[in-house]
């Protein structure tokens, strides 16, 4: 146990050095620690608040040394959670008496963080903190699994909306880059490249069902054509990407206590389907072209082999410093790029936040945890064995049980609520039109009845949904307010009844059921708008 003399001795010292899990030396007695140097300013842990808490010197020393020791092995996000539970709550001390008094007002997240903190405090001073730790471990954290419209699985309509919006945003981004690259072959597309890259990150997060922290570790050396081998020594040079159907990606494990950069590779590579592979290859080509332009401007002509070697070790999802770094020559740049280096990568702990911000700006309401719940729940409902479900998202079989969170009635309820709140508001703002624009392409049904128009013909030509039923709810479709949408609804209902009578399971009809709801709401929206216009008249 640390006595007063020991505390005074520590306070009289200038430094007690530790090395963070990311390899940076820091002084535990300071009030601010640089734990990671990734990004423009790195990632700091600020402990100034400890002085404001009126903790005694001995307690502050205990906290600092405990967190410093934990920071040598644990991820920065875990360390920040441990400090946040102290900062955000009003403890007078860390005594068992004061913790018990504060506990009723502490949320579940902070209780869990407090349990972790006291676990590590017992490593530092068992006699002083073990009673409080044992008490905290008896506290039951409320893990309420009741459905929340902002948590757990997405409904069918929500899934459709997210996928449709993402498809359109990626197509639009690719089309703009194609046009601009034709106009100016030397145009450095850094901002647009970064924009497309984050959209591709969202696509891979959904398609591979992997965490943003895992995606942030990826380098171009981790993606090769299907049928190739990651064990090839010359992997960075030998593969031709010009004529392939599918790619495969080597992923690194994400949530294993200590989140290390590019450690613990998953046993098997993941296959990227043809459509996503094409998008990724376009992004790769644009990235490569932009990097070549940047290198030529700063270092002059570089041999192809040297460039290929550098490019293969670049992060797939880069932060701004890649195109802003000031180096004297290419040799100095090469020293910064290795298979294990974090140079120019987004910080692992913050990539999820970056993706969330991007999806919010782009009006694509996707959250990683909800998407993982959605995929696992769907797999369970389809009857997949527990061990197979666990493999999909690399979780334990025990954890799979937490993903059964939506029954059929709940899905329908959330679908109705989502359509009413999101779809109608959105469609009023831009997706119902009074007259056709002659410059746009019209959408018709089998009887050549005009139903509306699309915003971008190229987007429609690449869409796999059947026309016109699949058009409803799509951002690219503008419904004509006076069109006979009832005829489309009748046709959709007829198809649904036929397929159901033939014995197709309800799960197979969910997409068509979703489209029926979207058509119904389009009709309702058109009628509401017509009535509103009459009121103005």
């Amino acid at each position: 146990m640390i006595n007063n003399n020991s505390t005074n001795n520590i306070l009289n010292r200038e430094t007690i050095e530790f090395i963070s899990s990311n390899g940076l030396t820091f002084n535990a007695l300071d009030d601010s620690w640089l734990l990671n140097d990734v990004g423009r300013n790195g990632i700091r842990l600020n402990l100034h608040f400890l002085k404001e808490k009126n903790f005694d010197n001995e307690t502050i020393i205990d906290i600092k040394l405990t967190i410093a020791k934990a920071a040598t092995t644990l991820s920065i996000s875990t360390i920040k959670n441990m400090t946040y539970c102290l900062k955000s709550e009003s403890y007078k001390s860390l005594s068992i008496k004061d913790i018990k008094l504060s506990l009723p007002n502490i949320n579940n997240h902070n209780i869990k963080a407090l349990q972790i903190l006291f676990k590590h405090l017992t490593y530092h001073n068992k006699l002083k903190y073990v009673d409080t730790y044992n008490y905290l471990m008896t506290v039951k954290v409320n893990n309420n699994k009741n459905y929340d419209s902002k948590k757990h699985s997405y409904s069918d309509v929500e899934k459709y909306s997210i996928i449709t919006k993402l498809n359109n945003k990626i197509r639009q981004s690719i089309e703009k880059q194609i046009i601009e690259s034709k106009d100016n072959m030397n145009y450095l597309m850094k901002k647009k490249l970064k924009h497309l890259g984050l959209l591709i990150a969202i696509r891979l997060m959904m398609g591979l069902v992997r965490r943003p922290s895992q995606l942030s570790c990826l380098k171009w050396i981790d993606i090769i054509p299907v049928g190739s081998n990651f064990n090839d020594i010359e992997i960075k040079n030998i593969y031709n990407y010009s004529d392939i159907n599918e790619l495969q990606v080597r992923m690194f494990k994400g949530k294993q206590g200590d989140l290390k950069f590019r450690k613990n590779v998953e046993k098997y590579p993941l296959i990227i389907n043809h459509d996503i592979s094409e998008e990724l290859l376009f992004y790769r080509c644009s990235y490569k072209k932009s990097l070549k332009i940047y290198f030529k401007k700063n270092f002059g002509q570089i041999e192809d082999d040297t460039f290929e070697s550098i490019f293969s070790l670049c992060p797939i999802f880069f932060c701004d410093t890649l195109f802003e770094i000031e180096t004297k020559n290419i040799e100095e740049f090469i020293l910064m790029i290795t298979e294990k280096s974090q140079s120019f990568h987004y910080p692992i702990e913050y990539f999820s936040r970056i993706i969330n911000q991007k999806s919010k700006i782009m009006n694509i309401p996707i959250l990683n945890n909800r998407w993982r719940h959605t995929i696992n729940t769907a797999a369970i409902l389809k009857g997949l064995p527990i061990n197979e479900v666990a493999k999909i998202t690399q979780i334990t079989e025990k954890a799979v049980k937490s993903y059964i969170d939506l029954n059929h009635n709940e899905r329908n309820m959330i679908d109705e609520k989502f359509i009413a709140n999101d779809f109608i508001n959105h469609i009023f703002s831009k997706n119902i039109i009074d007259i056709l624009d002659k410059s746009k392409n019209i959408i018709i049904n089998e009887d050549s009845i005009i139903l509306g128009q699309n915003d971008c013909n190229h987007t429609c030509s690449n869409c796999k949904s059947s026309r016109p039923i699949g058009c409803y709810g799509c951002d690219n479709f503008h419904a004509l307010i006076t069109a006979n949408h009832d005829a489309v609804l009748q046709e959709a209902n007829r198809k649904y009844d036929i397929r159901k009578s033939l014995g197709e399971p309800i799960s197979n009809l969910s997409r068509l059921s979703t489209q029926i709801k979207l058509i119904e709401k389009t009709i309702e929206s058109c009628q509401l708008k017509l009535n509103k216009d009459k009121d103005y008249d």
Side-chain angles (χ1 to χ4, degrees):
M1 180 174 178
I2 297 179
N3 55 37
N4 289 333
N5 289 332
S6 298
T7 301
N8 290 331
N9 289 336
I10 291 173
L11 288 172
N12 289 330
R13 293 175 62 176
E14 292 184 359
T15 61
I16 300 179
E17 291 188 342
F18 289 83
I19 299 175
S20 74
S21 60
N22 293 98
L24 293 187
T25 301
F26 64 94
N27 179 11
L29 299 182
D30 289 342
D31 291 328
S32 179
W33 306 342
L34 182 64
L35 301 180
N36 189 322
D37 61 353
V38 174
R40 196 183 298 274
N41 300 312
I43 300 174
R44 286 188 173 274
L45 183 71
N46 292 311
L47 298 172
H48 298 89
F49 71 90
L50 290 175
K51 294 178 180 178
E52 300 169 4
K53 285 288 183 179
N54 295 319
F55 291 148
D56 59 56
N57 286 338
E58 184 178 325
T59 301
I60 291 175
I61 292 296
D62 287 346
I63 292 170
K64 283 190 171 183
L65 293 181
T66 295
I67 294 175
K69 178 65 175 176
T72 63
T73 57
L74 299 182
S75 69
I76 294 175
S77 59
T78 301
I79 297 301
K80 289 208 166 193
N81 284 339
M82 289 168 66
T83 57
Y84 184 76
C85 74
L86 289 173
K87 184 178 180 180
S88 62
E89 305 296 345
S90 56
Y91 316 112
K92 293 181 179 179
S93 73
L94 297 187
S95 68
I96 189 169
K97 178 182 176 181
D98 283 333
I99 294 295
K100 282 184 176 180
L101 288 173
S102 303
L103 210 58
N105 300 316
I106 302 176
N107 63 41
N108 289 341
H109 180 77
N110 280 350
I111 290 175
K112 289 180 181 178
L114 204 59
Q115 289 171 337
I116 296 172
L117 173 63
F118 270 87
K119 177 182 178 181
H120 286 271
L121 281 168
T122 59
Y123 297 157
H124 174 70
N125 191 330
K126 184 174 182 179
L127 185 62
K128 183 176 179 181
Y129 295 106
V130 70
D131 289 341
T132 308
Y133 171 66
N134 289 337
Y135 165 72
L136 283 170
M137 296 311 294
T138 65
V139 176
K140 292 184 178 181
V141 179
N142 180 22
N143 290 314
N144 189 1
K145 295 297 179 180
N146 292 333
Y147 185 76
D148 183 336
S149 63
K150 295 182 180 179
K151 298 179 181 178
H152 304 303
S153 293
Y154 288 107
S155 69
D156 293 332
V157 174
E158 286 176 305
K159 281 192 295 182
Y160 176 82
S161 176
I162 290 167
I163 293 169
T164 301
K165 288 177 179 178
L166 181 59
N167 287 345
N168 290 340
K169 296 297 182 184
I170 290 177
R171 285 176 190 140
Q172 289 166 11
S173 180
I174 289 174
E175 287 163 9
K176 286 180 181 178
Q177 289 202 28
I178 290 173
I179 293 170
E180 289 176 0
S181 63
K182 285 180 180 178
D183 293 340
N184 185 358
M185 294 303 290
N186 292 317
Y187 179 66
L188 182 63
M189 302 174 289
K190 186 188 76 173
K191 287 186 177 179
K192 289 183 172 61
L193 182 67
K194 185 179 177 181
H195 168 75
L196 177 59
L198 290 175
L199 289 174
I200 295 294
I202 296 172
R203 175 76 89 196
L204 292 179
M205 181 185 80
M206 295 172 64
L208 300 177
V209 202
R210 289 298 182 268
R211 295 182 175 88
S213 59
Q214 293 174 272
L215 298 177
S216 69
C217 297
L218 293 177
K219 298 177 181 284
W220 286 111
I221 198 173
D222 299 315
I223 292 184
I224 61 176
V226 169
S228 306
N229 195 327
F230 283 103
N231 294 324
D232 290 328
I233 296 173
E234 296 298 326
I235 188 174
K236 59 189 71 174
N237 293 322
I238 64 175
Y239 294 124
N240 179 14
Y241 292 84
S242 62
D243 185 24
I244 63 170
N245 290 318
E246 291 181 337
L247 297 169
Q248 58 179 327
V249 57
R250 172 175 57 188
M251 296 297 302
F252 295 86
K253 295 179 181 179
K255 198 173 182 181
Q256 293 194 326
D258 306 346
L259 188 59
K260 302 286 188 178
F261 186 76
R262 293 179 65 80
K263 296 284 180 71
N264 301 321
V265 67
E266 290 186 7
K267 188 174 182 180
Y268 301 106
L270 301 175
I271 305 300
I272 304 174
N273 71 37
H274 174 72
D275 291 339
I276 300 178
S277 291
E278 282 194 339
E279 294 170 347
L280 186 56
L281 284 173
F282 179 87
Y283 171 60
R284 185 181 189 275
C285 183
S286 297
Y287 188 141
K288 200 170 182 180
K289 175 186 173 183
S290 296
L291 197 62
K292 269 189 175 180
I293 294 170
Y294 175 75
F295 279 3
K296 187 175 181 180
K297 180 181 177 182
N298 289 273
F299 308 123
Q301 199 65 36
I302 300 173
E303 291 184 4
D304 288 344
D305 287 348
T306 301
F307 177 78
E308 292 293 338
S309 179
I310 294 171
F311 178 75
S312 68
L313 297 174
C314 284
I316 293 179
F317 308 109
F318 63 91
C319 57
D320 290 335
T321 51
L322 176 61
F323 289 95
E324 296 174 358
I325 193 74
E326 295 182 4
T327 55
K328 296 178 182 178
N329 51 54
I330 192 63
E331 287 74 21
E332 192 174 319
F333 189 93
I334 290 172
L335 291 175
M336 302 175 68
I337 295 284
T338 66
E339 193 168 341
K340 298 295 182 182
S341 74
Q342 298 183 46
S343 299
F344 315 122
H345 285 260
Y346 284 103
I348 292 176
E349 291 81 3
Y350 291 145
F351 196 46
S352 179
R353 186 186 302 174
I354 290 165
I355 286 182
N356 288 345
Q357 289 172 346
K358 186 66 176 179
S359 60
K360 188 175 182 179
I361 292 170
M362 300 301 293
N363 192 27
I364 305 171
I366 180 70
L367 293 172
N368 172 56
N369 285 341
R370 286 195 68 190
W371 186 254
R372 291 168 66 83
H373 270 277
T374 302
I375 299 302
N376 282 329
T377 298
I380 291 168
L381 292 175
K382 285 183 178 179
L384 263 65
I386 295 295
N387 63 325
E388 291 296 322
V389 177
K391 288 178 183 178
I392 294 173
T393 49
Q394 291 290 296
I395 59 174
T396 63
E397 293 184 19
K398 182 180 178 181
V400 170
K401 296 177 182 178
S402 68
Y403 289 103
I404 307 174
D405 53 30
L406 270 183
N407 61 37
H408 185 67
N409 291 332
E410 286 173 328
R411 285 176 179 276
N412 281 334
M413 178 189 70
I414 299 302
D415 276 354
E416 293 293 340
K417 188 175 181 180
F418 178 80
I419 292 173
N421 292 326
D422 180 83
F423 180 74
I424 290 182
N425 290 335
H426 176 65
I427 207 167
F428 267 149
S429 65
K430 78 170 195 177
N431 277 33
I432 289 181
I433 56 175
D434 296 305
I435 56 174
L436 295 171
D437 184 340
K438 293 181 179 179
S439 66
K440 306 288 185 179
N441 297 284
I442 62 171
I443 302 295
I444 60 176
N445 66 3
E446 294 175 355
D447 298 322
S448 298
I449 296 173
I450 296 175
L451 302 169
Q453 63 190 30
N454 64 30
D455 207 26
C456 173
N457 194 44
H458 181 72
T459 298
C460 270
S461 64
N462 285 289
C463 181
K464 294 182 179 179
S465 298
S466 60
R467 293 191 193 183
I469 293 173
C471 297
Y472 290 83
C474 175
D475 280 355
N476 196 45
F477 175 62
H478 300 267
L480 184 62
I481 194 169
T482 54
N484 184 11
H485 302 293
D486 288 291
V488 184
L489 178 61
Q490 291 173 13
E491 177 63 17
N493 279 318
R494 187 182 69 82
K495 288 184 176 181
Y496 183 91
D497 292 339
I498 291 173
R499 289 173 61 180
K500 187 177 180 181
S501 67
L502 293 173
E504 279 199 56
I506 296 296
S507 58
N508 287 8
L509 296 171
S510 62
R511 177 65 181 274
L512 183 54
S513 176
T514 295
Q515 289 307 129
I516 289 171
K517 292 171 187 173
L518 291 170
I519 298 167
E520 288 173 344
K521 291 303 176 182
T522 299
I523 294 170
E524 181 184 332
S525 300
C526 287
Q527 191 58 52
L528 285 171
K529 193 170 188 300
L530 284 170
N531 293 340
K532 192 175 183 180
D533 291 344
K534 286 179 182 178
D535 291 339
Y536 284 129
D537 294 338

